[in-house]
Amino acid sequence: MKFRLPLTPEAEQELARERDAAHFHDECGVFGIHGHDEAAHITYLGLYALQHRGQESCGIVASSGREHLAHRAMGLVADTFGEKALSRLGGRHAVGHVRYSTSGESHLRNAQPICANTDGGPVSIAHNGNIVNAVAIRRELEGRGAIFSSTSDSEVLLHLLARSRENTMEDRFIDAISRVKGAFSLALLTDDAMIGARDPSGFRPLSLGRLDGAWVLASETCALDLIGATFERDVEPGEVVVIRRGRLRSLRPLSRSASRHFCIFEYMYFARPDSNLMGQNVYAYRKELGRVLAREQSVTADMVVPVLDSGNAAALGYAEESGIPYDTALIRNHYVRRTFIEPAQSIRNFGVKVKHNAIRSFLAGKRVILIDDSIVRGTTLIKIVAMLRAAGVREVHIRISSPPSTGSCYYGVDTPNKEELIAYRHTVDEIRDMMGADSLAYLSLEGLRRLADQELKSGICDGCFSGVYPVPVNVEEDRPQLSLFRAVEDEPDSE
Ligand code: AMP
């Protein structure tokens, strides 16, 4: 029996915060190509198109058979791979990965694809998603002597595969993915095959394409467009595709989930608007969300202004539906880097002005409907409203094309602990007052779900809005508590 001492409210909060921080926040993009003379170059381009899915580290593993050549680094794809690096990655097959994590584990050791030499040959895995029982499996394996070299949830897949007693690599892979729960879209390279797989709920996207006879796997169709590949179809939830010698075999080894749970946040924010997810174009869907928002939350105003770029499509939809003119009177600097040198003397609203600036002559005296796709901590909008006021805007009406974000994501989108989410701690009226807006309204959960029913072929996961998480997560068990050695030679120089 377990006893727990009563805790003060502050300690309870602290504990909740720690538990919530326990899951890995990975956002990723995966890409793979099998049977092309320029495999590494094409993977580089594919990753370039998927850069929005992860900006912290990237990597490509290329192969012509029994040797896998890996190049992984911290940073952006274009900064990491030059002609020299790519020319070293010879072979007709390749998988690649882009990753972003805010879990404090921004180290090269967590960069992907992750590779290992097994008794069945080399294996390289690129993973998008989050395995919710990774820590439990890791503890079990460590208890039996396994040595892990990263803190990434994806590494358990490699261990399970290496230890499986099945005969072929594909059966070992199937054995491994049968043991994990949560979200995974995977591209895997063995010595003679590329394997793609999606978890039975289908949380994350994965598409199949063809290029010059080669098979391509990509998180989003925008990567297929860039390389000039034709879209073949999506990998289905629960499906494993094995590509070998130009042929594709489709397997259904995983027990079927009762329903599909495609991440609605991919449509709303995460994916690129030019991608089609499960047959539905992201841009069109975002516009439709704006239309629904306009019907649900109308207000008299002079102009509809998006928060660039996340609010663009929803604002257009809102404007079209309401008949109020669309105007991009709030400009965004697209070249802002995560770190820059701040002035020693404080400049008012410096933080927001680096990224956004208001065109005063268009805005002074106007009633503005300000549209964004979501509010996370609230920092962006608080500053933008102040900027609009300073530009002489008469009324600011904030409209958000999603319901209030009240919960973390456990399936692979980077959201902060729920205590940090402004809508978890405050009511809509309180948030409106904190922002200094005249009104604030969100899309309703019912409106979001109705639209998904009408437009999407898949069921959705809306856990970050509804608190309904389709695959159970034991946050306590999922708490990493991993102490590790640190290879400082991997770390970027800090100034
Ligand atoms: P905040 O200022 O913290 O309220 O963040 C709001 C802005 O962050 C909005 O413009 C969103 O488009 C954007 N956003 C929403 N979700 C995420 C996410 N998971 N990662 C990065 N940015 C996000």
Side-chain angles (χ1 to χ4, degrees), residues 161-177:
L161 184 146
R163 283 164 174 257
S164 168
R165 295 187 184 280
E166 297 292 338
N167 289 327
T168 65
M169 281 309 258
E170 68 195 58
D171 285 343
R172 285 172 164 209
F173 173 68
I174 288 165
D175 196 17
I177 58 173

Side-chain angles (χ1 to χ4, degrees), residues 27 265 269 310 372-380 413-414:
E27 290 177 345
F265 207 66
Y269 169 78
S310 46
D372 205 353
D373 69 312
S374 56
I375 306 178
V376 183
R377 294 181 176 88
T379 16
T380 311
V413 168
D414 161 44

Side-chain angles (χ1 to χ4, degrees), residues 120 141 258 312 321 373:
L141 295 175
N312 292 4
E321 186 70 19
D373 69 312

Side-chain angles (χ1 to χ4, degrees), residues 44-64:
Y44 160 80
L45 292 173
L47 295 181
Y48 203 96
L50 297 175
Q51 187 76 80
H52 62 287
R53 297 185 69 87
Q55 302 89 45
E56 194 170 80
S57 65
C58 58
I60 297 177
V61 172
S63 155
S64 48

Side-chain angles (χ1 to χ4, degrees), residues 71-140:
H71 184 119
R72 289 159 299 197
M74 303 302 289
L76 300 176
V77 177
D79 297 336
T80 299
F81 293 97
E83 273 302 329
K84 199 166 145 207
L86 286 175
S87 63
R88 284 202 199 118
L89 296 173
R92 301 190 75 237
H93 321 302
V95 287
H97 191 265
V98 287
R99 177 176 190 266
Y100 176 60
S101 150
T102 54
S103 61
E105 284 301 323
S106 58
H107 290 287
L108 188 59
R109 64 165 171 260
N110 283 337
Q112 294 198 23
I114 47 173
C115 312
N117 293 311
T118 72
D119 58 350
V123 191
S124 301
I125 298 182
H127 170 212
N128 173 210
N130 184 40
I131 294 169
V132 298
N133 61 340
V135 173
I137 294 175
R138 180 178 176 132
R139 292 225 169 95
E140 179 199 321

